[in-house]
C-alpha cells in the first residue's frame, strides 16, 4: 500500500472530487436543494495492490441556490482495478448540518401534484444560461438524479458534468411519487464529448431521489 | 461643416461617380467693384459652366467658384490677367465626394459608439463583427482590423491590432472562441478589447504597455463553429470542415497544432470532439494564425482563452515533462490567479496543462511555446460545471472583470521581460 499526497489542483484529484460531489448530490439533493463542488482542499492517493486506487479527499461543496452557503466534506473514492462495470465506491462525511429545504420541497411537490396537465419543458438552461424560476426545482432534481448516473459511469479518467436538460416530461402516477422522464446532456470533460442520456426519476419529499431507469442514448436521439 | 456643404452644394439627388473628377473650387477675392463686375460676367458665360458656391458680393469678401476641369486653365488665366487674387480651396472635388460617401456609409452602420455595445449579452457573429468596426472607428489611432485568412466556410478571420506605432514591435497574441461553444470567451474578448481601447491614455499600466508592445486579438477564432452554435447546436466545439470518408464534421482546432500532433490526448476519429484532423494545421483557422505569428516574427506571448473549469495553464499538454520555463511560468500563473481571486473570490487552479486538466496533444499553447513564444498560457474561464458552457449572461461582465487583472499581470511581466 502506497499513499501519496497530490496537489489539490491535480487533474486526478479534481476528477475524484467531482465524482464524490456527484454521489453526495444524489444522496442529499432534492428539488429545493442542490450541492456542487466548489474546490478541493486536500487529496491523497492510495494504491492498493490488486484492488485499485483510493483517493482520500477534503473538499468544499456549495449550495447551487445560494453560492455563499458552503459545507466542508471528506470522502474516500475507490476506483476498482480492471472492472469497468463496477461503479467506484464512495464513502463521505459532511461537516455540520445541511440546509433544511422541506418547505421548498413541499411547495414544489404540491405544485406539481396539482397540475392539470403533465409538466413538459425543453432546454434548461437555454442557450443563454437562463433558467426560469419555476424550472429551478426541475433542474435541481435533474442535478441530483444525474449525480447517480455520473457515479455509476465514472472511471479514474473521466469527469462528468450535467450540461443541459434537453427535455423533461412528467409522467402521471397514481401513487404519491412524482415521476419525470428526462433526456439530459452530460459533458465528459476529458474526451470533451456531449453524451445524451435518458433517466427516469422518482421523487417524494420523504423518500429522496431515485433513478429507476437510465441509459445512454444514440447521437441522433436529439433530432 | 465644409465637407457636408460640398455634398449638398452639388447636384441634388443623383450624382455619377465621374461627374466632378479634377474639378476645383477656387476662392476668389475681388479688391474693387470693377472686379466684382468681372466676376459676375464670368458667371454669366454659360460655356464656362462655373458654379458659384458663394456669390461675389462686395470687395474683400471671398467668392467660391466650382470650375469644371476642362475650364480651369481658361478661368485661371482670366483671373490672373485681371489681377484678381484667388486660391485653390478644393483641389479635386470628386476625391472629397468619395471620402464623404465612405464616411456616411460607415456612420450609418455605426449608430452607437463602441463602448455603448451591450457587453452583458451574448451576441451573434454579425453583431460582433460590426462592433469591431465601431471600435476601430472610435479609436483610429490605436486599433485597426486585419484579416488573417478565411474559415472553412469562407468567413473572414479578423484580428484587432492595438498599436501605438513603431515598426514590428514585440507583440502579444490573444485569442478567444477557438472552441465555439465556450460563449463566455468571445464575450470576454469583446469586453477586454474595449477595455484596452478605453484605458489607453488613461490608465498608466495599459498606456505603458501599449507604448511598448502591440496586441493582436482574435475574438472569434472559430466563426463557422460560432455561427453553428447560434443556428443549430449550442454545444458545437470544433470547426465545420468536412472530413473525407466520414459523415462526421469538424476538427478540434485545439488538437490541430504541430506540437505532439496525433499523440495521446487527441483522437484520430473524425466523430470525436478531440479529433486532431488529417494533418497538423489542416484547418485554415489554425493555419492562418500559424502563418501570421511566424511571419510577424516578434510575438513574445500568446494567451488562448477557453471555458470552463477556472484554470490558468501553461505548457506542456502533450507530455508530462515540465517545460524548461516551468518555474517562471508557474510563479506568474500563481500571481495572476491570486489577483483574479481578489476581485470576486473566484478560485482558479493553475499548473501545466498535463497536470491540471489532462494530456492534450497538438494544442495552441504547446505549438507557440515550441516556436519561440515563451509566455504561452491558456485560461479556462468560469464556471466549474454548475452551468458549464451555458453560463448565464449575467456572469459575462464579472468574468471579464476578474480576468482582466490576471491578463494584465501576464502582459506586464512580458513587457518587463522582453527577450
Amino acid at each position: 500500500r502506497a499513499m501519496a499526497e497530490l496537489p489539490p489542483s491535480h487533474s486526478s484529484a479534481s476528477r475524484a472530487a467531482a465524482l464524490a460531489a456527484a454521489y453526495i448530490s444524489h444522496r442529499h439533493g432534492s428539488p429545493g436543494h442542490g450541492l456542487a463542488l466548489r474546490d478541493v482542499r486536500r487529496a491523497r492517493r492510495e494504491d492498493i495492490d490488486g484492488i485499485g486506487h483510493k483517493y482520500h479527499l477534503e473538499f468544499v461543496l456549495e449550495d447551487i441556490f445560494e453560492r455563499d452557503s458552503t459545507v466542508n466534506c471528506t470522502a474516500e473514492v475507490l476506483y476498482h482495478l480492471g472492472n469497468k462495470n463496477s461503479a467506484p465506491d464512495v464513502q463521505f462525511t459532511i461537516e455540520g448540518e445541511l440546509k433544511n429545504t422541506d418547505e421548498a420541497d413541499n411547495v414544489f411537490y404540491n405544485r406539481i401534484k396539482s397540475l392539470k396537465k403533465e409538466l413538459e419543458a425543453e432546454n434548461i438552461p437555454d442557450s443563454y444560461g437562463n433558467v426560469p424560476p419555476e424550472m429551478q426545482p426541475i433542474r435541481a432534481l435533474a442535478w441530483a438524479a444525474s449525480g447517480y448516473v455520473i457515479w455509476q459511469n465514472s472511471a479514474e479518467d473521466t469527469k462528468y458534468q450535467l450540461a443541459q436538460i434537453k427535455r423533461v416530461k412528467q409522467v402521471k402516477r397514481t401513487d404519491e411519487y412524482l415521476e419525470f422522464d428526462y433526456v439530459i446532456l452530460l459533458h465528459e470533460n476529458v474526451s470533451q464529448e456531449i453524451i445524451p442520456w435518458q433517466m427516469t426519476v422518482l421523487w417524494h419529499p420523504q423518500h429522496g431521489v431515485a433513478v429507476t431507469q437510465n441509459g445512454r442514448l444514440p447521437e441522433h436521439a436529439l433530432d | 461643416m465644409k465637407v457636408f456643404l460640398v455634398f449638398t452644394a452639388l447636384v441634388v439627388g443623383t450624382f455619377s461617380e465621374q461627374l466632378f473628377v479634377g474639378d476645383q473650387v477656387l476662392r476668389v477675392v475681388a479688391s474693387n467693384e470693377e472686379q466684382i463686375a468681372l466676376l459676375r460676367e464670368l458667371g454669366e458665360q454659360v460655356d464656362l459652366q462655373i458654379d458659384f458656391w458663394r456669390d461675389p458680393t462686395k470687395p474683400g469678401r471671398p467668392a467660391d467658384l466650382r470650375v469644371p476641369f476642362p475650364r480651369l486653365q481658361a478661368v485661371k488665366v482670366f483671373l490672373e490677367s485681371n489681377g484678381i487674387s484667388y486660391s485653390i480651396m478644393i483641389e479635386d472635388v470628386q476625391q472629397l465626394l468619395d471620402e464623404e460617401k465612405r464616411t456616411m456609409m460607415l456612420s450609418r452602420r455605426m449608430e452607437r459608439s463602441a463602448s455603448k455595445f451591450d457587453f452583458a449579452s451574448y451576441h451573434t457573429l454579425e453583431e460582433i463583427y460590426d462592433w469591431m468596426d465601431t471600435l476601430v472607428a472610435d479609436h483610429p489611432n490605436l486599433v485597426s482590423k486585419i484579416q488573417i485568412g478565411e474559415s472553412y466556410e469562407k468567413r473572414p478571420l479578423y484580428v484587432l491590432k492595438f498599436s501605438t506605432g513603431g515598426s514590428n514591435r514585440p507583440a502579444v497574441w490573444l485569442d478567444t472562441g477557438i472552441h465555439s461553444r465556450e460563449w463566455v470567451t468571445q464575450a470576454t474578448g469583446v469586453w477586454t478589447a474595449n477595455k484596452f481601447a478605453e484605458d489607453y491614455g488613461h490608465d498608466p499600466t495599459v498606456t505603458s504597455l501599449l507604448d511598448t508592445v502591440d496586441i493582436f486579438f482574435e475574438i472569434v477564432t472559430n466563426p463557422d463553429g460560432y455561427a453553428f452554435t447560434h443556428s443549430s447546436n449550442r454545444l458545437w466545439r470544433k470547426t465545420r470542415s468536412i472530413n473525407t470518408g466520414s459523415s462526421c464534421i469538424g476538427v478540434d482546432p485545439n488538437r490541430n497544432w504541430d506540437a505532439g500532433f496525433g499523440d495521446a490526448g487527441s483522437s484520430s476519429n473524425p466523430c470525436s470532439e478531440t479529433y486532431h484532423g488529417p494533418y497538423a494545421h489542416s484547418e485554415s483557422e489554425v493555419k492562418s494564425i500559424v502563418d501570421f505569428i511566424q511571419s510577424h516574427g516578434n510575438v513574445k506571448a500568446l494567451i488562448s482563452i477557453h471555458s470552463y473549469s477556472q484554470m490558468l495553464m501553461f505548457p506542456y499538454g502533450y507530455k508530462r515533462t515540465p517545460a524548461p520555463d516551468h518555474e517562471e511560468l508557474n510563479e506568474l500563473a500563481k500571481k495572476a490567479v491570486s489577483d483574479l481571486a481578489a476581485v470576486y473570490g473566484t478560485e482558479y487552479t493553475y499548473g501545466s496543462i498535463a497536470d491540471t486538466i489532462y494530456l492534450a496533444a497538438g494544442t495552441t499553447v504547446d505549438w507557440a511555446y515550441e516556436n519561440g513564444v515563451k509566455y504561452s498560457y491558456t485560461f479556462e474561464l468560469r464556471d466549474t460545471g454548475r452551468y458549464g458552457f451555458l453560463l448565464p449572461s449575467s456572469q459575462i461582465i464579472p468574468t471579464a472583470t476578474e480576468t482582466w487583472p490576471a491578463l494584465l499581470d501576464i502582459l506586464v511581466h512580458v513587457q518587463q521581460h522582453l527577450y
Side-chain angles (χ1 to χ4, degrees), chain A residues 51-190:
Chain A
I51 306 283
H53 298 151
K54 185 186 259 195
Y55 290 80
H56 302 257
L57 305 161
E58 291 167 33
F59 51 96
V60 181
L61 297 179
E62 66 186 24
D63 185 322
I64 63 175
F65 291 115
E66 230 183 291
R67 290 194 66 211
D68 291 335
S69 170
T70 61
V71 277
N72 295 331
C73 301
T74 60
E76 284 176 9
V77 175
L78 173 61
Y79 294 101
H80 297 282
L81 253 182
N83 190 347
K84 292 291 169 194
N85 290 323
S86 163
D89 291 344
V90 184
Q91 312 233 45
F92 68 94
T93 52
I94 298 177
E95 275 171 41
E97 291 283 306
L98 282 176
K99 199 169 77 171
N100 182 304
T101 58
D102 288 350
E103 200 189 316
D105 288 345
N106 286 321
V107 164
F108 173 73
Y109 182 80
N110 292 323
R111 183 186 130 213
I112 302 297
K113 268 293 182 199
S114 61
L115 285 176
K116 299 265 185 307
K117 195 167 166 305
E118 290 89 344
L119 181 146
E120 254 191 86
E122 288 186 335
N123 294 331
I124 301 166
D126 66 14
S127 288
Y128 305 89
N130 297 321
V131 180
E134 68 272 16
M135 288 300 155
Q136 294 278 15
I138 291 288
R139 179 152 194 263
L141 186 60
W143 187 265
S146 66
Y148 173 83
V149 172
I150 289 170
W151 165 50
Q152 289 289 308
N153 290 277
S154 286
E156 216 168 339
D157 59 356
T158 65
K159 187 176 175 189
Y160 288 98
Q161 302 278 357
L162 172 64
Q164 193 182 36
I165 299 165
K166 281 310 281 183
R167 289 195 286 274
V168 57
K169 194 167 184 327
Q170 181 192 359
V171 179
K172 265 275 198 295
R173 291 178 72 93
T174 49
D175 63 16
E176 56 182 2
Y177 283 87
L178 295 184
E179 181 178 333
F180 296 93
D181 194 43
Y182 284 92
V183 172
I184 58 170
L185 295 177
L186 291 175
H187 172 226
E188 201 289 290
N189 229 290
V190 178

Side-chain angles (χ1 to χ4, degrees), chain B residues 62 146 197 219 266 268 367 371:
Chain B
I146 308 171
I219 293 175
S266 63
S268 56
W367 173 84
N371 282 272

Side-chain angles (χ1 to χ4, degrees), chain B residues 346-395:
Chain B
T346 305
E347 284 167 43
Y348 270 53
T349 53
Y350 63 95
S352 73
I353 296 168
D355 284 346
T356 313
I357 195 168
Y358 39 55
L359 270 180
T363 63
T364 312
V365 161
D366 282 356
W367 173 84
Y369 188 68
E370 288 189 336
N371 282 272
V373 185
K374 177 178 173 192
Y375 298 102
S376 292
Y377 281 96
T378 181
F379 276 84
E380 292 276 357
L381 301 181
R382 287 195 194 185
D383 59 10
T384 51
R386 167 121 158 65
Y387 286 97
F389 301 120
L390 308 180
L391 196 70
S393 50
S394 56
Q395 290 198 42

